[in-house]
Amino acid sequence: KIKTFKDFEMVTPMTRDNYLRQYPLEKMCWDGRIKDKSLVFTATSGSTGKSFYFPRDKVVDTQSSVFHENFLRNTFIDGKELSTLVIDSFGMGVWIGGIITYQAFRQIALAGTPVSIITPGVNKKEIFEAFKNIAGRFDQVILCGYPPFIKDVIDEGRLHGISWKDFNLKLLFAAEGFSEKFRDYLIKKTGIKNPFLDTANIYGSADLGTMAAESPLAILIRRIACGREKVFSSVFPGVNKTPTLAEFNPLFVNFEAPEGVILCTGYNILPLIRYSIGDHGGVVNFNEMKKMLFSAGIDIMKEAKKAKIEKTINKHM
């Protein structure tokens, strides 16, 4: 019966209660089978109840690698590839962050980009040892991790004899939002020169992998909005705390936000249709965002040119 997107919007949203906890895992997966497939299982945190175990295959990892490669290529100088060390300091247990970050960058490396990876997880000692012993051999270093944990690592670095400004450091976050003051704090501590190209926050989940990510334009919009009340109320109406602003690829995961409730539709071994992931927010396209900003007195294309990020803009977001 689903012929148009309007028809699609009539489909009852999935939730953990009305779907995931109602049926056997096999019945929710393609072909009703999991035993004869090659899968990776990751678990939800269990912070809102019992953990749920999501299986995934290489398709979700490949989709994630596209977002990671976009970030990586934005750090290259005039498109010239830089030798890169990725320090994956997400938890390496049953949670998705550590493993999918490794697999995404590993796929990029296997395709020929000069990317090396070390996976200390949340072992701070090993992170500091990686900086002392191997990080200086690379043109740049991408430190990946949970935002509060990354802050701890940065704050404690000097106690271990590490001068962050000695490295061409980039920061890739996930699993939690943060303020622009937080970003500024880390930029100041590390000597990062470009907040738009050298930092990014990923919006992901065990449910569907990497679902969206900050782009240079999204960071620029957010930073402008945080400094101007009229712009903020235009871009984030009815919101007090600054939310994450990220771009998604609807070929991977599509988003809707009826009445402010985020619904995701995406491929996985356990496919999800209009899935209520538990977040609130909104969805706007590129032209809508331009109009919203223009009504608040901001020509975002001019601002992007000033910030020297116009070449990174994806007008199809």
Side-chain angles (χ1 to χ4, degrees):
K1 296 179 181 178
I2 310 297
K3 304 295 184 185
T4 66
F5 191 74
K6 196 169 183 65
D7 297 335
F8 182 75
E9 291 177 310
M10 300 300 292
V11 175
T12 302
M14 289 179 174
T15 67
R16 288 186 185 174
D17 287 335
N18 75 8
Y19 187 68
L20 298 184
R21 295 191 180 107
Q22 293 297 318
Y23 303 97
L25 180 61
E26 289 82 355
K27 293 293 184 183
M28 294 184 287
C29 295
W30 295 107
D31 305 320
R33 302 194 313 270
I34 59 173
K35 288 193 291 186
D36 57 350
K37 300 179 185 293
S38 299
L39 308 174
V40 174
F41 281 86
T42 47
T44 58
S45 64
S47 58
T48 57
K50 187 178 178 182
S51 293
F52 189 89
Y53 292 84
F54 285 95
R56 74 173 188 276
D57 61 11
K58 65 179 181 180
V59 173
V60 174
D61 296 332
T62 299
Q63 291 175 354
S64 182
S65 75
V66 172
F67 287 101
H68 287 72
E69 185 171 20
N70 284 342
F71 175 75
L72 178 65
R73 297 210 168 274
N74 285 338
T75 68
F76 292 160
I77 300 172
D78 296 326
K80 181 184 177 183
E81 292 185 341
L82 303 178
S83 63
T84 302
L85 176 66
V86 174
I87 301 180
D88 184 354
S89 63
F90 287 107
M92 300 302 290
V94 297
W95 307 282
I96 194 168
I99 302 299
I100 201 169
T101 298
Y102 167 78
Q103 289 175 313
F105 278 114
R106 186 62 179 152
Q107 284 200 29
I108 295 167
L110 291 173
T113 303
V115 176
S116 298
I117 311 164
I118 189 168
T119 57
V122 294
N123 187 326
K124 289 181 185 176
K125 178 180 180 297
E126 293 300 335
I127 294 170
F128 296 134
E129 289 300 315
F131 274 100
K132 288 179 185 178
N133 292 294
I134 59 173
R137 303 172 189 274
F138 293 84
D139 296 330
Q140 65 176 0
V141 181
I142 300 177
L143 178 60
C144 311
Y146 179 57
F149 181 75
I150 293 296
K151 179 181 180 297
D152 287 349
V153 170
I154 298 301
D155 286 342
E156 295 171 24
R158 65 181 183 83
L159 301 176
H160 295 264
I162 294 173
S163 172
W164 297 113
K165 295 178 182 180
D166 291 343
F167 305 95
N168 184 13
L169 188 65
K170 321 295 179 183
L171 299 175
L172 188 60
F173 309 96
E176 186 174 293
F178 51 79
S179 68
E180 288 306 311
K181 286 184 179 180
F182 177 90
R183 196 191 311 264
D184 286 338
Y185 176 86
L186 294 184
I187 287 171
K188 186 177 180 181
K189 281 272 188 175
T190 59
I192 285 174
K193 296 179 178 64
N194 195 319
F196 310 113
L197 302 178
D198 298 343
T199 69
N201 195 19
I202 288 172
Y203 178 49
S205 67
D207 319 48
L208 286 166
T210 302
M211 302 186 297
E214 283 187 331
S215 64
L217 181 65
I219 296 170
L220 174 63
I221 292 169
R222 198 169 183 257
R223 289 172 77 82
I224 291 172
C226 287
R228 308 186 196 186
E229 188 176 337
K230 185 179 179 182
V231 180
F232 188 94
S233 60
S234 178
V235 176
F236 306 119
V239 177
N240 295 319
K241 182 181 177 183
T242 309
T244 298
L245 180 63
E247 292 185 24
F248 68 94
N249 184 337
L251 296 176
F252 297 166
V253 178
N254 190 57
F255 286 88
E256 305 166 71
E259 299 179 3
V261 176
I262 297 293
L263 302 180
C264 317
T265 298
Y267 169 88
N268 203 344
I269 286 297
L270 191 167
L272 296 170
I273 309 296
R274 305 197 80 222
Y275 174 61
S276 181
I277 200 164
D279 290 332
H280 292 78
V283 180
V284 295
N285 65 33
F286 179 79
N287 287 328
E288 289 169 344
M289 178 62 80
K290 274 179 65 178
K291 289 176 184 176
M292 289 161 60
L293 290 164
F294 194 75
S295 69
I298 301 295
D299 183 331
I300 195 57
M301 298 307 289
K302 281 187 178 179
E303 295 295 330
K305 198 166 185 179
K306 282 184 199 173
K308 299 181 179 178
I309 61 166
E310 68 273 18
K311 291 181 181 178
T312 71
I313 294 175
N314 176 11
K315 296 180 182 180
H316 300 290
M317 68 175 182

